[in-house]
Amino acid sequence: MYPSQGIDARPLHVAICGAGISGFAAAIALRNQGHIVELYEKASFSKEFGAAIGVPPNGTRVLNHLGYNRHRARAVDYYGVTIFRFHSCARHQEWTTVHRVDMHNELRYLAMKPDGKGTPAKLFLSSAVESCDAKNGVLRLASGKTRQFDLIIGADGIDSKIRSSVVGKVVDAPIAPKPAAIFRWCMPVEVLEGRPDLDWIMTEGIQGSRVTSSAEGHFLVSYLCRDKKVINSLAFHIDKRDQTKFPKNVASSKEEMLEEFKQYAPKYIKWIQLAEGVRHWQMRTLPVLDTWVNGHTCLIGDAAHAMFPTLGHGAAMGLEDACVLAGLLPAGTAPSQVNERLRAFEHLRKDRDEWIAHQSEIQALDPEHWGIFERSHEQQDKMMLYDAPKVAADYYNKHFAHKQAPAFLESAHL
Ligand SMILES: Cc1cc2nc3c(=O)[nH]c(=O)nc-3n(C[C@H](O)[C@H](O)[C@H](O)COP(=O)(O)OP(=O)(O)OC[C@H]3O[C@@H](n4cnc5c(N)ncnc54)[C@H](O)[C@@H]3O)c2cc1C
């Protein structure tokens, strides 16, 4: 018989490995469900870097569900791809751009604030995880300490340690066959003062994103964040250097960028010449994993499906993962029910995340696909109408609330 809800009804004790966007989103969603959450983070967060990211409507839907305040995060409306429904004139839900650090701070606040729902999550900084006994929920920290949990979530990003404990072997994100890379930098809008030659940046449509592309596949993209006070720019190119010689994310310079973009018109070169604090990111996709779930452990976000940023969906997919996972684990879920919920989570999420990762890769590397997602009604709807809170609630109500096990769970081994 399918196990009933509420056996051993105490909050689940959850470890989240990695306090990035996915980890904090999972922490908020799980504390809201009444569970006890501990976050183990390798970094000290004393120096955070990052640049702005776009949050498409499907990501916004999750953020709203989590109680995110876009004003605290200083997010800016994005009208670059504004899609209207032909029959209702309605605009797809809010699309914003936000500095990654501002979004991170807002999610951290929601996960840990004393007056929210449930118990505030506890954050352990400078606490790298090393591995886990995935089946039995035993987490091993790099310090050598071990702790037992009802649920371990690997949200430790593209170089995840928890991933090998889940899949049983090391799987890394390889250098892409065409090594795509991005220079990223942020500048305050004041740098434009007294520069009428650069007026075009603010006057020619930066409320959306400014995209200037070359025949060789270079893209220069700029958009605003931080209450329109900061301009975020990224410069996409195929990097012809030996990618094994430097790290995935490394400090770079405007000189390196100018060399790569030297064929651009003087109008654009002048903008690049102002750049400070440039970083260079290799773009990598994680191969499709056999599974994201093992016993009491699962993977979410970049740890499960790191993808190219071409469709601006990496963070949004981590948000969706977190929301669906927590939606399947309401208060009263017993530790003995965790594995079936994790397998339901994988069933709901894996195909979608892998499809978006694949679309992001071909969008970047295959010129025939450039821009197709903006033209295809089917692709837009599949990406942006996805309603993660509803997906989880519908599935939970159909298969778990009424104790009718989904077929794939009945036939599988725990
Ligand atoms: C150039 C670029 C542009 C992008 N633009 C967009 C965009 O417009 N829209 C969008 O949705 N996405 C975008 N993305 C993708 C997005 O940034 C990522 O998908 C997202 O940040 C992943 O979040 P995460 O929490 O899963 O992983 P991460 O952000 O990598 O967080 C992982 C966390 O785990 C910690 N950690 C790592 N190892 C350990 C360990 N052993 N123990 C404990 N902690 C550990 C890390 O310190 C980190 O805090 C972009 C990415 C890039 C590179």
Side-chain angles (χ1 to χ4, degrees):
M1 202 185 104
Y2 192 60
S4 68
Q5 201 67 35
I7 312 166
D8 190 11
R10 60 166 174 81
L12 295 174
H13 196 188
V14 182
I16 300 178
C17 309
I21 289 171
S22 309
F24 273 131
I28 302 164
L30 286 163
R31 82 168 270 192
N32 287 348
Q33 295 281 47
H35 302 302
I36 308 293
V37 178
E38 295 181 14
L39 288 137
Y40 291 88
E41 167 57 48
K42 177 171 77 170
S44 65
F45 288 162
S46 56
K47 242 195 302 164
E48 280 208 78
F49 28 59
I53 57 170
V55 185
N58 42 312
T60 305
R61 220 164 270 129
V62 174
L63 290 174
N64 290 343
H65 179 74
L66 298 178
Y68 172 89
N69 182 328
R70 57 163 283 180
H71 301 294
R72 267 195 309 252
R74 299 183 282 173
V76 172
D77 277 316
Y78 173 81
Y79 295 106
V81 187
T82 305
I83 298 157
F84 295 92
R85 317 307 307 157
F86 68 93
H87 51 280
S88 65
C89 310
R91 183 184 163 214
H92 259 295
Q93 202 174 342
E94 200 171 280
W95 196 329
T96 55
T97 50
V98 60
H99 198 287
R100 203 196 72 84
V101 173
D102 296 340
M103 177 195 259
H104 195 235
N105 285 340
E106 170 66 2
L107 294 177
R108 178 178 176 170
Y109 164 74
L110 292 172
M112 300 180 66
K113 67 176 183 168
D115 58 342
K117 263 189 176 172
T119 308
K122 275 193 193 150
L123 171 63
F124 298 96
L125 293 173
S126 307
S127 299
V129 300
E130 185 53 39
S131 63
C132 69
D133 170 351
K135 206 165 170 48
N136 298 306
V138 180
L139 182 64
R140 279 184 211 95
L141 300 180
S143 64
K145 281 192 189 143
T146 58
R147 299 273 317 270
Q148 170 95 46
F149 291 91
D150 300 317
L151 167 60
I152 297 175
I153 300 173
D156 47 344
I158 190 166
D159 295 320
S160 169
K161 293 277 189 186
I162 297 301
R163 186 162 61 231
S164 35
S165 301
V166 169
V167 296
K169 60 184 176 196
V170 175
V171 183
D172 289 326
I175 292 164
K178 265 200 222 169
I182 289 187
F183 294 104
R184 290 176 103 181
W185 74 104
C186 283
M187 300 293 284
V189 290
E190 290 94 71
V191 298
L192 300 176
E193 277 169 21
R195 291 294 304 265
D197 55 329
L198 289 173
D199 269 0
W200 59 269
I201 291 179
M202 297 300 284
T203 55
E204 292 177 19
I206 199 167
Q207 292 280 311
S209 69
R210 155 171 304 291
V211 182
T212 318
S213 57
S214 80
E216 292 79 39
H218 291 77
F219 287 88
L220 185 58
V221 182
S222 296
Y223 51 81
L224 293 164
C225 60
R226 298 203 152 152
D227 288 334
K228 302 188 184 172
K229 294 195 173 94
V230 170
I231 304 169
N232 172 78
S233 296
L234 37 105
F236 172 91
H237 60 289
I238 301 297
D239 193 346
K240 295 167 206 82
R241 298 172 303 174
D242 179 355
Q243 301 296 297
T244 59
K245 294 276 190 290
F246 50 94
K248 283 198 277 298
N249 168 12
V250 67
S252 178
S253 64
K254 67 180 148 210
E255 287 73 24
E256 275 187 30
M257 205 170 22
L258 284 165
E259 176 58 26
E260 186 60 49
F261 281 75
K262 60 180 179 244
Q263 77 281 31
Y264 267 54
K267 167 173 166 170
Y268 304 115
I269 294 291
K270 283 182 192 167
W271 174 236
I272 295 176
Q273 277 167 338
L274 285 183
E276 301 281 351
V278 181
R279 294 194 74 82
H280 186 265
W281 295 68
Q282 287 173 9
M283 289 165 52
R284 296 199 185 192
T285 302
L286 195 67
V288 169
L289 301 177
D290 296 340
T291 183
W292 295 355
V293 171
N294 184 346
H296 283 249
T297 307
C298 72
L299 302 171
I300 65 170
D302 276 16
H305 48 68
M307 61 186 73
F308 276 21
T310 353
L311 294 183
H313 260 68
M317 291 301 99
L319 292 169
E320 287 184 4
D321 288 347
C323 181
V324 170
L325 175 61
L328 296 168
L329 295 163
T333 303
S336 58
Q337 293 171 313
V338 165
N339 177 264
E340 69 186 18
R341 303 301 163 84
L342 296 187
R343 286 183 292 133
F345 158 74
E346 176 176 290
H347 174 73
L348 285 173
R349 293 294 309 158
K350 199 163 180 286
D351 286 352
R352 172 171 170 81
D353 284 319
E354 286 164 1
W355 176 74
I356 294 205
H358 179 63
Q359 294 302 320
S360 300
E361 190 168 5
I362 55 176
Q363 177 81 25
L365 300 183
D366 182 353
E368 280 188 16
H369 286 87
W370 287 348
I372 198 163
F373 87 104
E374 292 178 11
R375 296 196 301 270
S376 157
H377 200 280
E378 288 74 21
Q379 288 225 14
Q380 287 165 10
D381 282 2
K382 193 166 168 184
M383 287 163 68
M384 290 180 255
L385 292 184
Y386 187 87
D387 186 342
K390 185 170 182 319
V391 166
D394 288 352
Y395 196 86
Y396 177 83
N397 287 332
K398 179 161 180 211
H399 295 293
F400 296 118
H402 306 299
K403 304 169 186 70
Q404 172 207 343
F408 81 94
L409 282 179
E410 279 179 338
S411 57
H413 296 292
L414 280 181

